[in-house]
Structure formats: structure tokens, C-alpha cells
């Protein structure tokens, strides 16, 4: 599970971390009614010793994590056909910016053209299919295939071919990289890994679009990423973010001192949902006028953006967690963590602050959450366990798996 002690006294907060703006309720992205509603619900639960609950317990077959046939269906009909959140706009900060990743077995190249438009391509040369770019960076005017030197522009068009006369009537000017559907809206870049149907943010955001639009994600700057590769099914990685029930036991030295264990608010927005995790500091607002209540500062807000993305609004930054199967295997997963910050990190103190945040997040998730998930998957793989049980106090976890079950039932 993510966690962050976001305020570092060694950081010039006002100039580098941008925290002061989040404390100002007038400039906060959630509307005032949402702030008041969320905080009221938390105080009611604290007074009653309760949490948001699902109507019933949910039993889920272990096969949803281990069955190879089901996994192949998920790959084909969900991960490779649905609109996926690839990154925030700040990941491609200017013309020529690119990001190359292999997602669910598809080599993807995201690029921002000289015209400012974000596009997605198959990261494969039209000549002999070689991968064109790796990692992330920026190209000037054109980039060349490392095999034979075919050169492309940031808009994907083939610009030049060495010894082009040897290719006869081949239409160099009309040749482009294979295009993947790509849409940029409200500071988010969405792609589809197959087909020609446009990538549709609404397919994932559904009723959450207005709320996420209020965060002005276009103003966030990309800082750094980390890749984790646990030996588990991809849905188990998503499970990690779906309940605080485990905080008191698994995270007693990390998350539990900052957040209330076994206390969450769950709100459904159609295909997507919001899980609100209050920090212990929220009690500091009890005696404040409701007009001053800040639901963002005293929480971590988790947005599930189907089928495989988790957007976490923290006090002073945004985390995007993206989950994909690895190596085409039911028991291997890649988890990308991308950290976005409100202002560029231009000082050593700011960089130390964000480096510490990222390092702590990775260490906590890898050594605690994914370690226990791998131990669970070892038991699942024996075939002896038949089901898992999700409690009423795990409404977001239940919602995720009910949505997955509905997707599979519709195939």
C-alpha cells in the first residue's frame, strides 16, 4: 500500500512543494459540498467505530487469479481492447517528448509532435520491425531506426530512407508508423492497444470526469517513475490499493501511524469509483468551521480508473499506478509508479524531498504489500484453495472484482 509522510521540514515548501495552495480551501479541487460531506462521514465513523461497508461478504474463486484461459480472455478483451490511462500530460512536456513502454506485450511509443499533439504508435520500424526508441526523452526533428537508419518525425511520418532509390516505388512520403488510438483530455493521455476505435476517456472515468477535471492535472509536472515486477496475477496488484483493513497488521510501522486502519469511504461513479482514506490528522479540523474543512489535505484519495489504473491524490502530489501482466503470464505482473508534482523540482532540497517520497513508496509496496501477495499466490498456485473472501469492510475490493466479473460475463 502507498504511504507518504509528505511534509519534510527540510524542504522549502512554499516555493518547491506547492503545499500551501492545497491548504487553501478556496483553491481546492473538490467542491465545498464534497469536502463537507466526506469529512462529516469520517467523523461519524470515528464516533461510531465503523466504516463504509458493502451489503454482503463476497466469495471469489481463486481461479480468477490463476486460470490461464481466463487470463488470456482478460488480455484480449479487456487490457488490449479497452481505453487505458497511459500517463498524465506532464509525461510529454513538449514537442519531441517521448515515452516507450511495453504494455501487455505491445511495444508502445507515445510522442508529442511539433504541433503539440500527443500520439501513440507501435514502437516498430516499418522496414523490418525493429524497436525504435527505449525509455523516455526528447528527439529533435527526427529519430532513426538503429538497424538501417530509417528516420521518422515526431508525428510518426517517415522522413528519409538511406539509399531510397533501392526501394523503387515505395511511398516514403506516405509512410507512417502504425498508429494506436490516442486521446488527450483534462491532463490525461489515453490509449487503446488494438483496433481503430478512438481511445475514450469516458469509457473509464464515467461519472468521475467532472471531479478529476477539477484537479487541473495539466498543471502537474512529471518527476520520476519506478517499475516493480511481483510474481503475482495482475489483479492482485490492484487489490493492494483496495482496502485499509490490512494497515494495522502489515503496515504497523509505516502506514498505520498516519492513517486510520479499517476506515474508508467508498463512492461509486459508474465504471469508476473513489476510495477515501482519512489521515489521523483529520481530527484537527473537528473544531474548525465547516467552510474551512479540507478533505484533500487530510487524506489519500484513491480513484480506480478501469481496467488497470489507480490515481492517488496525495497532499502535495499525484501518483499514477498502472498495472499490466508481464511476459504474457498469468503469474507475472508489472507495476509502474509515476510521480507527478505541482511545480518543477528546481532545488536540491526539493529533489531530496521527492526522491525520499518515491523511495519510501517503492520500498513499502515491494517489501510489504507485494511480499505478502507473492506468498498468497504461492498458495493459490497449488490448486488446493478454492476461494477467497472479501469482507463487508472491503467495499472497494468487492467493487473491483464485481466489475471484472461483469466484464468477463459480457464476453
Amino acid at each position: 500500500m502507498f504511504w507518504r509522510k509528505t511534509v519534510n521540514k527540510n524542504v522549502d515548501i512554499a516555493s518547491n512543494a506547492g503545499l500551501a495552495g492545497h491548504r487553501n480551501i478556496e483553491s481546492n479541487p473538490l467542491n465545498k459540498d464534497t469536502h463537507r460531506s466526506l469529512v462529516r462521514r469520517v467523523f461519524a465513523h470515528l464516533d461510531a467505530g465503523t466504516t463504509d461497508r458493502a451489503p454482503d461478504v463476497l466469495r471469489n474463486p481463486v481461479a480468477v487469479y490463476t486460470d490461464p484461459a481466463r487470463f488470456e480472455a482478460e488480455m484480449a478483451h479487456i487490457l488490449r481492447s479497452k481505453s487505458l490511462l497511459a500517463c498524465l500530460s506532464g509525461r510529454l512536456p513538449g514537442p519531441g517528448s517521448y515515452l516507450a513502454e511495453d504494455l501487455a506485450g505491445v511495444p508502445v511509443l507515445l510522442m508529442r509532435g511539433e504541433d503539440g499533439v500527443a500520439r501513440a504508435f507501435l514502437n516498430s520500424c516499418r522496414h523490418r520491425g525493429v524497436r525504435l526508441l527505449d525509455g523516455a526523452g526528447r528527439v529533435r526533428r527526427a529519430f532513426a531506426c538503429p538497424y538501417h537508419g530509417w528516420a521518422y518525425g515526431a508525428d510518426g511520418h517517415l522522413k528519409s530512407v538511406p539509399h531510397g532509390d533501392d526501394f523503387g516505388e515505395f511511398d516514403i512520403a506516405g509512410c507512417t508508423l502504425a498508429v494506436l488510438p490516442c486521446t488527450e483530455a483534462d491532463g490525461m493521455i489515453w490509449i487503446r492497444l488494438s483496433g481503430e476505435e478512438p481511445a475514450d476517456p469516458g469509457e473509464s472515468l464515467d461519472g468521475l470526469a467532472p471531479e478529476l477535471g477539477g484537479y487541473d492535472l495539466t498543471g502537474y509536472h512529471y518527476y520520476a517513475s519506478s517499475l516493480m515486477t511481483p510474481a503475482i496475477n495482475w489483479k492482485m496488484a490492484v487489490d493492494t490499493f483496495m482496502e485499509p483493513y490490512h494497515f494495522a497488521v502489515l503496515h504497523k510501522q509505516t502506514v498505520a501511524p498516519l492513517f486510520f486502519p479499517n476506515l474508508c469511504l467508498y463512492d461509486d461513479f459508474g465504471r469508476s469509483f473513489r476510495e477515501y482514506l482519512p489521515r489521523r490528522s483529520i481530527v484537527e479540523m473537528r473544531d474548525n468551521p465547516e467552510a474551512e474543512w479540507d478533505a484533500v489535505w487530510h487524506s489519500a484519495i484513491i480513484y480506480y480508473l478501469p481496467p488497470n489504473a489507480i490515481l492517488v491524490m496525495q497532499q502535495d502530489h499525484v501518483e499514477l499506478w498502472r498495472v499490466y501482466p508481464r511476459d504474457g503470464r498469468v503469474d507475472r505482473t508489472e507495476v509502474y509508479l509515476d510521480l507527478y508534482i505541482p511545480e518543477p523540482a528546481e532545488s536540491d532540497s526539493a529533489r531530496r524531498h521527492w526522491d525520499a517520497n518515491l523511495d519510501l513508496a517503492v520500498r513499502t509496496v515491494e517489501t510489504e504489500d507485494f511480499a505478502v501477495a507473492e506468498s498468497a499466490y504461492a498458495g493459490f498456485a497449488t490448486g488446493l484453495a478454492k476461494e477467497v473472501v472479501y469482507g463487508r469492510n472491503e467495499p472497494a475490493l468487492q467493487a473491483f472484482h464485481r466489475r471484472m466479473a461483469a466484464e468477463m460475463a459480457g464476453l
Side-chain angles (χ1 to χ4, degrees):
M1 180 61 203
F2 67 92
W3 79 285
R4 218 76 61 246
K5 196 168 184 176
T6 50
V7 180
N8 183 332
K9 294 181 180 179
N10 296 319
V11 177
D12 182 352
I13 291 176
S15 63
N16 288 316
L19 306 187
H22 283 278
R23 286 189 181 275
N24 183 353
I25 191 68
E26 296 300 326
S27 64
N28 209 283
L30 296 179
N31 65 54
K32 292 181 181 180
D33 288 340
T34 302
H35 278 279
R36 287 192 287 264
S37 174
L38 291 171
V39 176
R40 282 196 204 105
R41 289 164 63 189
V42 170
F43 288 163
H45 280 313
L46 288 174
D47 292 341
T50 55
T51 184
D52 276 9
R53 290 189 171 97
D56 299 295
V57 169
L58 176 65
R59 288 178 165 82
N60 212 13
V62 167
V64 303
Y65 298 116
T66 60
D67 179 39
R70 180 190 175 94
F71 171 72
E72 291 299 328
E74 291 172 349
M75 285 279 281
H77 300 288
I78 297 178
L79 294 169
R80 287 189 177 175
S81 66
K82 300 292 184 181
S83 296
L84 309 175
L85 180 55
C87 61
L88 301 190
S89 295
R91 194 69 168 94
L92 302 178
S97 300
Y98 71 86
L99 172 63
E101 295 178 327
D102 285 2
L103 306 177
V106 179
V108 176
L109 178 60
L110 287 172
M111 299 200 78
R112 191 173 298 282
E114 296 299 324
D115 56 2
V117 175
R119 298 178 175 88
F121 308 102
L122 188 67
N123 191 7
S124 176
C125 181
R126 283 297 202 179
H127 177 214
R128 299 278 290 279
V130 172
R131 182 187 302 271
L132 294 163
L133 292 170
D134 292 300
R138 180 170 292 183
V139 299
R140 293 183 178 274
R141 296 184 181 177
F143 56 98
C145 174
Y147 195 9
H148 294 93
W150 284 34
Y152 299 85
D155 60 359
H157 281 85
L158 181 63
K159 296 176 71 72
S160 65
V161 172
H163 307 287
D165 291 345
D166 291 328
F167 288 85
E169 297 180 357
F170 178 75
D171 183 11
I172 294 177
C175 181
T176 67
L177 296 175
V179 175
L180 298 176
C182 180
T183 300
E184 183 171 18
D186 292 327
M188 294 173 279
I189 298 176
W190 301 81
I191 62 173
R192 201 185 296 275
L193 296 179
S194 65
E196 298 181 358
E197 185 179 354
D200 178 10
E203 182 180 304
S204 180
L205 295 178
D206 208 347
L208 264 177
E211 183 165 316
L212 289 187
Y215 284 109
D216 189 22
L217 295 175
T218 56
Y220 280 84
H221 301 263
Y222 170 75
Y223 183 71
S225 297
S226 183
L227 174 62
M228 289 154 267
T229 57
I232 57 178
N233 179 260
W234 72 276
K235 295 185 297 300
M236 295 179 73
V238 177
D239 289 351
T240 294
F241 301 91
M242 296 292 103
E243 46 85 9
Y245 179 40
H246 68 287
F247 286 5
V249 179
L250 183 62
H251 297 316
K252 58 186 175 183
Q253 300 299 324
T254 52
V255 175
L258 301 176
F259 291 85
F260 290 104
N262 201 39
L263 173 54
C264 71
L265 306 181
Y266 170 80
D267 291 288
D268 193 288
F269 290 85
R271 296 181 182 91
S272 52
F273 59 74
R274 178 182 66 211
E275 181 187 16
Y276 183 87
L277 304 179
R279 293 175 180 266
R280 292 181 183 271
S281 63
I282 201 169
V283 298
E284 298 170 4
M285 297 193 297
R286 270 197 186 267
D287 297 327
N288 295 351
E290 288 191 4
E292 298 177 5
W293 284 358
D294 187 339
V296 176
W297 182 259
H298 295 283
S299 69
I301 307 179
I302 296 176
Y303 295 98
Y304 169 61
L305 306 181
N308 67 326
I310 305 293
L311 188 73
V312 183
M313 300 302 304
Q314 292 276 13
Q315 289 175 321
D316 61 346
H317 63 276
V318 180
E319 298 169 7
L320 176 58
W321 298 78
R322 297 172 295 132
V323 181
Y324 290 92
R326 175 165 56 96
D327 299 332
R329 292 181 54 168
V330 67
D331 59 350
R332 294 290 186 272
T333 295
E334 292 180 330
V335 180
Y336 296 84
L337 165 58
D338 304 318
L339 179 66
Y340 295 86
I341 59 179
E343 297 179 9
E346 297 178 344
S347 68
D348 289 341
S349 62
R351 286 187 286 272
R352 285 194 298 269
H353 174 72
W354 298 122
D355 286 345
N357 273 263
L358 184 65
D359 177 70
L360 196 53
V362 172
R363 284 190 289 108
T364 301
V365 170
E366 281 198 312
T367 63
E368 296 180 3
D369 291 292
F370 288 163
V372 297
E374 287 182 335
S375 73
Y377 199 86
F380 293 167
T382 65
L384 300 176
K386 300 304 179 185
E387 66 177 15
V388 291
V389 181
Y390 310 139
R392 292 184 60 210
N393 60 338
E394 302 173 293
L397 181 64
Q398 289 199 24
F400 168 58
H401 283 279
R402 290 186 190 280
R403 282 163 168 76
M404 291 301 303
E407 289 281 1
M408 298 301 292
L411 297 181

